[in-house]
Amino acid sequence: MSSCSSMASLLITPPTATLQLKEDRMRVSPAITNPSSKIDQTGLRNSRRHGRCFVTKSKMTVEGDVLEKQSVSVQDKNDFGVVSVHHVGLLCENLERSLSFYQNLLGLEINEARPHDKLPYRGAWLWVGSEMIHLMELPNPDPLTGRPEHGGRDRHTCIAIRDVAKLKAILDKAGIPYTLSKSGRPAIFTRDPDANALEFTQVDS
């Protein structure tokens, strides 16, 4: 009996221990669960507020960086350094006939610095101001007949000149047909011996 009593006494929690546990819970729990704790609520609100601000600022910063990078990327993509039109390539059936038109009639000069022997076809480079026309003696895949009478309604090369009236007199003397600008501006349209449409528009000096 004495041994049983000793075992039972070990299993029964002493009243003092129960009281101590309750006191410990009372001391610990307010710091966690007491809704009236101003320090804890204020800290929680501040942490949440700061947390939201941090997330919002981070999101705005990230979105701003992305938009800025996208804008710069698009700008860089489109800005590849356009300077001017370097030259226009025109097909011709007979180089000598075309040179007679462009050199003798229009007064364009050959750019002798451009190589001709490196290409597998005959050709010539003609100065047009600081740009050029490249005549290429190659078969023309386009039809030479049935094209619009007015070169402004066809694929054409536009050359700026000082005096449309003087060019008109030159074309009249050579018997070369032409049309004037439909809008009334000082411009004249004609075709070379291979039906390539040319526009000559008058610009101020």
Side-chain angles (χ1 to χ4, degrees), residues 40-53:
D40 296 332
Q41 286 185 339
T42 302
L44 183 60
R45 285 196 299 269
N46 288 340
S47 64
R48 287 178 178 173
R49 186 180 300 113
H50 292 320
R52 285 195 297 270
C53 291

Side-chain angles (χ1 to χ4, degrees), residues 57-72:
K57 288 180 180 178
S58 297
K59 184 177 181 181
M60 291 174 64
T61 303
V62 170
E63 289 178 350
D65 290 343
V66 171
L67 290 175
E68 183 178 355
K69 288 179 180 178
Q70 287 179 345
S71 177
V72 171

Side-chain angles (χ1 to χ4, degrees), residues 8-169:
S9 63
L10 291 174
L11 296 175
I12 297 173
T13 304
T16 55
T18 303
L19 180 61
Q20 184 65 39
L21 286 172
K22 290 182 179 179
E23 290 177 353
D24 291 342
R25 288 174 182 172
M26 290 177 64
R27 284 198 299 268
V28 174
S29 60
I32 301 175
T33 60
N34 187 358
S36 63
S37 175
K38 294 182 179 180
I39 296 176
D40 296 332
Q41 286 185 339
T42 302
L44 183 60
R45 285 196 299 269
N46 288 340
S47 64
R48 287 178 178 173
R49 186 180 300 113
H50 292 320
R52 285 195 297 270
C53 291
F54 176 78
V55 172
T56 302
K57 288 180 180 178
S58 297
K59 184 177 181 181
M60 291 174 64
T61 303
V62 170
E63 289 178 350
D65 290 343
V66 171
L67 290 175
E68 183 178 355
K69 288 179 180 178
Q70 287 179 345
S71 177
V72 171
S73 176
V74 171
Q75 184 178 1
D76 290 344
K77 181 179 179 182
N78 293 338
D79 185 12
F80 47 86
V82 173
V83 177
S84 66
V85 174
H86 183 269
H87 72 274
V88 175
L90 299 179
L91 301 179
C92 64
E93 182 180 7
N94 182 280
L95 183 60
E96 284 71 27
R97 182 181 65 176
S98 295
L99 286 175
S100 177
F101 175 83
Y102 284 97
Q103 278 188 291
N104 300 337
L105 185 69
L106 300 182
L108 302 185
E109 297 181 358
I110 292 181
N111 180 2
E112 299 290 353
R114 298 296 297 183
H116 303 295
D117 56 346
K118 293 184 179 181
L119 298 174
Y121 52 84
R122 299 176 69 217
W125 298 80
L126 301 165
W127 283 116
V128 182
S130 59
E131 284 71 44
M132 293 170 285
I133 286 178
H134 185 199
L135 294 176
M136 300 176 288
E137 190 178 83
L138 291 170
N140 195 338
D142 293 334
L144 300 182
T145 59
R147 308 193 73 82
E149 179 184 1
H150 181 56
R153 297 182 179 179
D154 197 359
R155 294 185 296 273
H156 63 278
T157 300
C158 183
I159 300 173
I161 62 174
R162 302 298 184 193
D163 193 341
V164 165
K166 186 173 181 179
L167 176 60
K168 181 176 178 295

